[in-house]
């Protein structure tokens, strides 16, 4: 690559995806330059590592997908509706998980309610239909998407709690059953809002229940198992070996689905665990981050939130100023609202008419799902 190409590529790599897609029409030279895998990687790394690069929030609404630019000052700007990744009449859909600008979506069509699994890039609107797992897609399935640097391949992990765990490699295009956890139990603690049913809060119609996802960091998937109540379960994406990481002292370890909820998340590339506990009508949310991966003593409690209204809180993203974006479920209100960890932060949306199932913060990417699959 000569100097002129390198300069043009460096300038283009700093632009949002929408502009880059338009610039493909400038000339054949620009089209070729932008289509290179080297440029795709360069653009994504710049977007991911540069704090000033605009992050996006993908919103899973009741019957549509929307996206919005994101900042800690004004949570949502320019909320735009996205074209659905598949056509036809849909009975329901759900974003299962996301990673590197890609989202794994489960779709059921109408009227047959056949299950379709899609890998979707919301920035480019490209999607590809993936083969269905060998075993049925239970409502209790938990999903994870991650990148295996050893094999240079993206992989999907599905855990359904019935000794039918499966892994899918995009390059091979096939699902494969994997060994269960050594305990012989797959009772994964999901992120379902069980507390909602106890206190009369309503879920949105047309979509499945609000299950959790497997957090991916340090080349491994992470989750909390209801039997191993002192550890986070890990599963290496490359060598497929299970492990455990001790939970922090002070985490509510009473696995009572009617009174407590625990989960795992990733904030700024750091493993986090959180819990919500109800006691006499008051909900207490606690968030810990693991500063030194794998070292129990490095758990640090970031903050505590007490409320009589938010029965479920899930951390989604950490801003450069340390504020954390939270997805919250309120009593007697359908769907979810968002706020920051700042005590004075308001909630969005304020209107009860908007029903949001979930939201995922993502970095814009030019990665083509179709080019990741070799089958």
């Amino acid at each position: 690559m000569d100097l002129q190409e390198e300069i043009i590529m460096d300038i283009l790599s700093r632009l949002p995806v929408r502009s880059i897609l338009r610039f493909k029409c400038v000339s054949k030279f620009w089209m070729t330059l932008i289509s290179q895998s080297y440029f795709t990687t360069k653009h994504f790394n710049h977007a991911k590592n540069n704090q000033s690069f605009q992050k996006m929030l993908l919103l899973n609404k009741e019957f549509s997908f929307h996206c919005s630019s994101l900042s800690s000052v004004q949570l949502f700007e320019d909320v735009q509706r996205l074209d659905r990744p598949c056509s036809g009449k849909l009975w329901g859909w759900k974003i299962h998980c996301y990673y590197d600008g890609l989202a794994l979506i489960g779709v059921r069509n109408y009227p047959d309610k056949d299950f379709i699994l899609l890998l979707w890039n919301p920035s480019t609107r490209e999607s590809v239909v993936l083969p269905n797992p060998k075993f049925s897609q239970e409502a209790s399935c938990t999903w994870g998407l991650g990148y295996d640097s050893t094999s240079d391949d993206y992989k999907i992990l599905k855990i359904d709690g019935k000794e039918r765990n499966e892994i899918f490699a995009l390059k091979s295009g096939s699902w494969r059953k994997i060994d269960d956890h050594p305990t012989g139990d797959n009772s994964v603690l999901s992120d379902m809002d069980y507390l909602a049913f106890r206190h009369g809060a309503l879920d949105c119609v047309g979509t499945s229940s609000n299950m959790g996802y497997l957090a991916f960091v340090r080349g491994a998937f992470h989750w909390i198992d209801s039997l191993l109540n002192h550890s986070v379960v890990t599963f290496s994406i490359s060598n497929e070996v299970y492990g455990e990481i001790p939970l922090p002292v002070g985490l509510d370890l009473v696995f009572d689905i009617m009174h407590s909820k625990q989960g795992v998340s990733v904030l700024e590339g750091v493993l986090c665990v959180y819990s919500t506990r109800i006691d006499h009508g008051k909900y207490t949310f606690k968030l810990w981050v693991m500063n030194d991966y794998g070292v129990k003593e490095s758990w640090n409690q970031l903050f505590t939130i007490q409320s009589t209204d938010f029965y479920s809180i899930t951390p989604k993203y950490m801003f450069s100023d340390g504020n954390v974006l939270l997805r919250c479920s309120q009593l007697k209100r359908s769907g979810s609202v968002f706020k920051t960890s700042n005590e004075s932060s308001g909630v969005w949306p304020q209107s009860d008419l908007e029903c949001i199932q979930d939201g995922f913060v993502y970095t814009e990417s030019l990665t083509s799902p179709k080019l990741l699959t070799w089958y």
Side-chain angles (χ1 to χ4, degrees):
M1 183 179 298
D2 59 31
L3 182 59
Q4 181 184 5
E5 291 180 1
E6 186 65 43
I7 293 174
I8 294 175
M9 183 173 284
D10 186 65
I11 294 173
L12 292 177
S13 67
R14 301 169 187 271
L15 300 177
V17 167
R18 182 183 299 180
S19 298
I20 293 175
L21 295 179
R22 289 203 306 265
F23 290 157
K24 278 187 172 185
C25 302
V26 171
S27 66
K28 290 184 179 180
F29 171 69
W30 280 35
M31 173 73 168
T32 302
L33 201 67
I34 293 171
S35 301
Q36 294 180 24
S37 59
Y38 173 78
F39 178 78
T40 298
T41 302
K42 182 181 180 68
H43 176 270
F44 181 75
N45 288 336
H46 180 269
K48 181 173 65 173
N49 300 323
N50 191 334
Q51 286 285 351
S52 63
F53 202 92
Q54 189 71 63
K55 296 297 186 290
M56 305 296 293
L57 181 71
L58 177 62
L59 297 170
N60 188 171
K61 289 194 175 183
E62 187 174 2
F63 295 109
S64 60
F65 291 118
H66 289 68
C67 73
S68 166
S69 54
L70 186 65
S71 71
S72 60
V73 179
Q74 182 176 346
L75 276 186
F76 302 95
E77 305 170 353
D78 249 357
V79 178
Q80 300 176 5
R81 182 168 181 148
L82 298 178
D83 294 332
R84 292 189 308 207
C86 62
S87 58
K89 293 183 178 180
L90 301 182
W91 178 75
W93 59 82
K94 174 174 172 54
I95 303 174
H96 289 308
C97 55
Y98 68 99
Y99 187 75
D100 275 3
L102 300 171
L104 181 68
I105 301 177
V107 177
R108 293 191 184 275
N109 63 12
Y110 180 86
D112 301 324
K113 299 182 182 179
D114 293 330
F115 181 83
I116 303 173
L117 198 61
L118 299 173
L119 188 65
W120 181 45
N121 183 332
S123 301
T124 64
R125 314 296 196 265
E126 283 188 272
S127 65
V128 62
V129 178
L130 302 177
N132 282 345
K134 296 180 180 179
F135 300 101
S136 62
Q137 293 76 47
E138 303 288 344
S140 59
C141 288
T142 310
W143 306 77
L145 172 65
Y147 174 72
D148 182 3
S149 58
T150 302
S151 61
D152 185 27
D153 194 7
Y154 284 88
K155 295 181 180 180
I156 299 167
L157 180 63
K158 178 187 77 90
I159 297 180
D160 66 5
K162 295 184 178 180
E163 299 183 356
R164 298 183 303 189
N165 298 345
E166 298 177 80
I167 194 166
F168 177 84
L170 265 66
K171 285 184 178 180
S172 68
S174 61
W175 287 92
R176 178 169 50 84
K177 188 178 183 301
I178 60 174
D179 293 336
D180 303 321
H181 190 273
T183 61
D185 182 85
N186 287 311
S187 184
V188 179
L189 181 68
S190 71
D191 201 20
M192 178 180 277
D193 294 328
Y194 287 106
L195 302 185
F197 304 125
R198 177 181 175 89
H199 297 282
L202 301 176
D203 203 359
C204 295
V205 297
T207 53
S208 59
S209 299
N210 196 9
M211 304 299 293
Y213 66 96
L214 306 175
F216 185 77
V217 66
R218 294 296 188 100
F221 295 104
H222 299 71
W223 66 91
I224 295 179
D225 191 293
S226 58
L227 290 186
L228 301 174
N229 59 2
H230 293 286
S231 302
V232 174
V233 179
T234 68
F235 181 80
S236 171
I237 196 173
S238 57
N239 58 22
E240 300 183 8
V241 173
Y242 289 95
E244 295 178 20
I245 295 178
L247 287 169
V249 176
L251 178 71
D252 294 318
L253 294 176
V254 181
F255 286 86
D256 178 355
I257 63 175
M258 302 303 291
H259 296 88
S260 68
K261 171 191 161 204
Q262 293 81 9
V264 182
S265 184
V266 179
L267 298 176
E268 288 296 291
V270 178
L271 180 67
C272 309
V273 296
Y274 56 91
S275 69
T276 301
R277 179 76 177 167
I278 179 174
D279 186 26
H280 295 93
K282 180 179 291 186
Y283 301 89
T284 302
F285 170 82
K286 298 179 182 179
L287 174 66
W288 289 263
V289 297
M290 180 169 255
N291 295 322
D292 190 1
Y293 183 77
V295 179
K296 180 180 180 180
E297 292 73 22
S298 69
W299 283 115
N300 176 41
Q301 186 173 328
L302 274 189
F303 56 81
T304 298
I305 295 177
Q306 290 189 328
S307 170
T308 57
D309 187 27
F310 298 131
Y311 65 84
S312 174
I313 299 178
T314 304
K316 289 294 184 176
Y317 178 73
M318 179 178 287
F319 296 98
S320 57
D321 60 4
N323 273 330
V324 178
L325 178 68
L326 305 170
R327 177 184 68 81
C328 309
S329 299
Q330 289 181 295
L331 295 173
K332 299 180 181 179
R333 176 169 176 169
S334 299
S336 302
V337 296
F338 293 86
K339 69 182 299 294
T340 69
S341 52
N342 190 324
E343 291 184 6
S344 61
S345 167
V347 300
W348 185 93
Q350 296 182 350
S351 172
D352 291 345
L353 299 178
E354 293 193 71
C355 186
I356 298 176
Q357 279 292 289
D358 207 345
F360 298 89
V361 177
Y362 68 96
T363 301
E364 286 195 312
S365 169
L366 290 163
T367 302
S368 171
K370 296 179 181 178
L371 295 180
L372 296 175
T373 54
W374 290 8
Y375 51 90

